[in-house]
Amino acid sequence: MLVLLPPSEGKAAPGRGAPLKPESLSLPGLAPARAAVLDELVGLCADAAEDDVKAREVLGLSEGLRGEIAKNAELRTAPTRPAGEIYTGVLYDALDLASLDAAAKKRAARSLLVFSGLWGAVRVTDRIPSYRCSMGVKLPGLGPLGAYWRAPMAEVMPEAAGDGLVLDLRSAAYATAWKPKGEVAGRTATVRVLHAPTRKVVSHFNKATKGRIVRSLLTSGAAPASPEELVDALREQSYEVEVDRPAKGGRAWGLDVLVDEVH
């Protein structure tokens, strides 16, 4: 099973740690594309030492977040931590990787892949610095990152997906970087979390429940190999799931998880 996750907008400060080693990151086929984005981002932010207006506009940052620009300028020498410790926010709080037992942590290292505007995608064990660069950013020399990553991701993701289930929990912006096709799409399940009384997507319910779903799968040791088996596994864990089965082959399954509240 491969689980595709969005990153978090905010990131934890690594504190102390070795600097970035790009060659150590998973999915080495993305290395040239990563180097190009890193060069563009660092250059943009390093040039903003005296006037950061352009950099803030490109990155979509308020004046209160101007410190993120200086942080980006130093990405090559900044301390790193495993990505699972860098990403924070509602989904990652609910997932709570640090509290998993050893077996569940091994499953997380094998199965979780976090999409990123800067890195393309990384595993939770990959050591990265804290950064600010969403998939919606349009870098001057590369254009919109969602479109930029499509070709590199199309090269590496079919192999990364293997021959098992792909559980796609990405937000819309990150889903633009890679869309499963053909046989891979047929064993992909996308998940929406709906507030049961209103049948609407509510951000907090959505993010927290997705984190709880992943945690449940990791801690239970469930290993669904297909969308059908995923539905069974979620229902066994007391989730209310509605299924949109594709009418044709080569298309992803849609699963709606209905929740009343998140504790």
Side-chain angles (χ1 to χ4, degrees), residues 24 31 34 82 91 93 111 116 119 128 130 133 142-143 149 158 161 168 172 184-185 200 251 259:
S24 72
R34 287 170 174 153
L91 187 154
D93 286 347
S111 62
S116 162
W119 314 114
I128 59 173
S130 180
C133 184
L142 299 177
W149 281 111
D168 190 352
V184 178
K200 293 182 179 179
R251 295 186 180 180
V259 296

Side-chain angles (χ1 to χ4, degrees), residues 8-263:
S8 58
E9 193 71 18
K11 319 258 185 331
R16 302 174 65 181
L20 176 69
K21 295 181 179 179
E23 69 278 6
S24 72
L25 299 179
S26 301
L27 306 181
L30 297 178
R34 287 170 174 153
V37 178
L38 184 62
D39 285 347
E40 279 282 321
L41 182 62
V42 170
L44 171 72
C45 293
D47 290 344
E50 295 183 3
D51 183 1
D52 64 9
V53 173
K54 179 181 178 181
R56 286 196 287 114
E57 288 179 350
V58 170
L59 298 176
L61 300 177
S62 66
E63 187 169 353
L65 292 173
R66 64 195 317 165
E68 300 292 296
I69 297 172
K71 184 167 65 176
N72 281 348
E74 299 176 353
L75 285 173
R76 291 192 177 91
T77 57
T80 62
R81 297 290 293 171
E85 297 177 18
I86 292 292
Y87 294 118
T88 59
V90 175
L91 187 154
Y92 291 91
D93 286 347
L95 175 53
D96 195 8
L97 288 167
S99 70
L100 295 175
D101 62 30
K105 284 181 178 177
K106 288 182 180 179
R107 288 191 282 273
R110 291 194 304 267
S111 62
L112 304 187
L113 196 64
V114 184
F115 272 59
S116 162
L118 174 54
W119 314 114
V122 292
R123 297 198 182 274
V124 293
T125 50
D126 287 336
R127 297 183 68 94
I128 59 173
S130 180
Y131 67 95
R132 191 74 172 226
C133 184
S134 72
M135 194 65 80
V137 163
K138 182 179 180 180
L139 289 175
L142 299 177
L145 289 177
Y148 171 81
W149 281 111
R150 285 174 198 157
M153 297 301 288
E155 291 291 324
V156 304
M157 283 304 299
E159 181 178 354
D163 58 4
L165 169 71
V166 177
L167 173 53
D168 190 352
L169 302 177
R170 296 173 295 167
S171 55
Y174 290 88
T176 63
W178 181 65
K179 182 178 179 180
K181 296 181 179 179
E183 183 269 336
V184 178
R187 49 186 167 85
T188 296
T190 63
V191 172
R192 294 191 308 173
V193 178
L194 303 182
H195 183 217
T198 63
R199 293 286 174 149
K200 293 182 179 179
V201 175
V202 180
S203 179
H204 180 81
F205 286 94
N206 182 53
K207 294 175 181 178
T209 302
K210 286 180 176 178
R212 288 158 64 93
I213 285 172
V214 176
R215 183 178 178 86
S216 295
L217 292 170
L218 294 174
T219 57
S220 69
S226 66
E228 296 99 324
E229 291 183 14
L230 174 64
V231 172
D232 291 340
L234 293 178
R235 287 174 174 165
E236 287 174 5
Q237 295 169 26
S238 300
Y239 287 101
E240 184 179 352
V241 183
E242 294 181 348
V243 182
D244 180 11
R245 299 171 183 264
K248 298 180 180 180
R251 295 186 180 180
W253 289 50
L255 307 185
D256 286 344
V257 176
L258 306 180
V259 296
D260 289 314
E261 57 184 7
V262 177
H263 299 288

